[in-house]
Amino acid sequence: MSDNEEKVTPKIVIRRDGSYKVYGSIPLVHKTQVVSEYGEPLTWKKDGEFPLKEQYSLCRCGKSKEMPYCDGAHNDFDFDGTETADTHTHAERQVELEGGQGIVVKKDDYLCMNSGFCGNRLTNIDEMMARTSEPSVRAEIIAMIERCPSAAYVYAMKAGEPDIEPDLPMQIAETTEITEYGPIEGPLWVTGNITIERADGQPFETHNRVTLCNCGESCKKPFCDGTHRTIQEEKLKKLIG
């Protein structure tokens, strides 16, 4: 970097009724859910990388023919990208789960986009809280929480201690989710405490991980609320017959 060049702070800027403008050479990758033989989400696999660019625009309306990049498709129809997400802080919305011997688990339902990492065919985090005196149960809860892309659940080992977050890279991931009907396009998964700036210039609260809507149909724009899953699963059901 020359003396005349200024390093651009990595951030995502939401364009009014338009794309996500990405600044600061943030890596863009592709990740796919890894599921069990029962269809239970287990973890994520990075299976692709896009060329590194200092700036680029990502689709927000869901109509681009060059996904995940924006191709201007939002200009071809009446895309309403109005940001409707709640602007209260994570801490203001969180509820601490009952139980929790040896671990403190808090849940922010608003951030949930039903990715499925918080449970399996036998149980889920809420039910497991009654058994956290067993270290193996605590370990399973921690694994579930750390693989959740939206950070709806967080944990600490003791009351009053800071939440423990997984060490995630600063990057944006185009995601593929695996459903019982087949693979579907998931949200943009943003990790590494990247600033997300609203169209009015104000930042949302910064998180280590968050999911952004790229289907254009979320009721919590710019955040994902899982609507993409309902839409795509219905299409796959019809194809299957």
Side-chain angles (χ1 to χ4, degrees):
M1 184 170 66
S2 70
D3 293 338
N4 296 324
E5 290 178 324
E6 183 179 347
K7 186 175 181 180
V8 177
T9 301
K11 65 179 179 178
I12 299 170
V13 176
I14 300 169
R15 289 178 165 174
R16 194 176 305 279
D17 296 330
S19 65
Y20 297 111
K21 184 69 176 182
V22 182
Y23 297 91
S25 302
I26 300 174
L28 178 64
V29 303
H30 185 275
K31 290 186 177 182
T32 300
Q33 269 186 348
V34 176
V35 302
S36 74
E37 63 270 36
Y38 301 103
E40 303 156 319
L42 299 175
T43 189
W44 293 92
K45 175 179 67 175
K46 187 174 84 169
D47 48 13
E49 296 184 5
F50 295 86
L52 185 63
K53 300 179 182 181
E54 183 179 350
Q55 299 180 20
Y56 52 94
S57 294
L58 297 175
C59 178
R60 192 156 71 98
C61 71
K63 306 294 184 183
S64 174
K65 292 182 172 60
E66 299 178 8
M67 294 291 271
Y69 296 112
C70 171
D71 66 356
H74 58 272
N75 294 313
D76 298 333
F77 71 106
D78 191 22
F79 172 57
D80 183 1
T82 304
E83 295 141 62
T84 55
D86 177 54
T87 55
H88 287 86
T89 66
H90 202 21
E92 289 173 321
R93 293 189 302 257
Q94 284 176 334
V95 175
E96 185 175 321
L97 302 188
E98 294 182 3
Q101 296 183 55
I103 191 170
V104 177
V105 177
K106 290 170 283 187
K107 185 178 182 182
D108 180 355
D109 274 320
Y110 190 81
L111 291 180
C112 181
M113 40 76 73
N114 299 307
S115 63
F117 284 92
C118 57
N120 53 46
R121 72 190 189 285
L122 301 176
T123 188
N124 57 52
I125 289 175
D126 295 58
E127 293 177 353
M128 294 165 70
M129 292 301 295
R131 298 183 284 112
T132 54
S133 58
E134 170 52 53
S136 64
V137 174
R138 295 199 297 272
E140 187 173 2
I141 288 174
I142 288 170
M144 288 177 170
I145 290 174
E146 293 192 345
R147 289 164 187 159
C148 171
S150 70
Y153 285 93
V154 296
Y155 74 95
M157 302 317 296
K158 294 180 181 179
E161 290 187 348
D163 297 332
I164 298 173
E165 276 287 320
D167 184 14
L168 297 172
M170 180 179 284
Q171 68 179 19
I172 302 172
E174 177 191 35
T175 63
T176 295
E177 298 176 345
I178 307 301
T179 75
E180 61 179 305
Y181 306 104
I184 63 172
E185 296 175 2
L188 296 171
W189 184 17
V190 180
T191 61
N193 292 295
I194 298 171
T195 297
I196 300 172
E197 190 176 291
R198 305 195 309 250
D200 64 5
Q202 296 301 308
F204 283 102
E205 181 183 27
T206 301
H207 295 291
N208 183 37
R209 50 202 162 123
V210 69
T211 50
L212 295 179
C213 172
N214 61 346
C215 73
E217 301 296 337
S218 173
C219 294
K220 302 176 183 176
K221 292 185 182 73
F223 304 120
C224 173
D225 67 356
T227 299
H228 67 278
R229 198 173 299 110
T230 301
I231 293 171
Q232 292 182 73
E233 284 185 341
E234 286 301 317
K235 290 181 179 179
L236 289 173
K237 285 180 191 177
K238 290 178 181 179
L239 289 173
I240 294 171

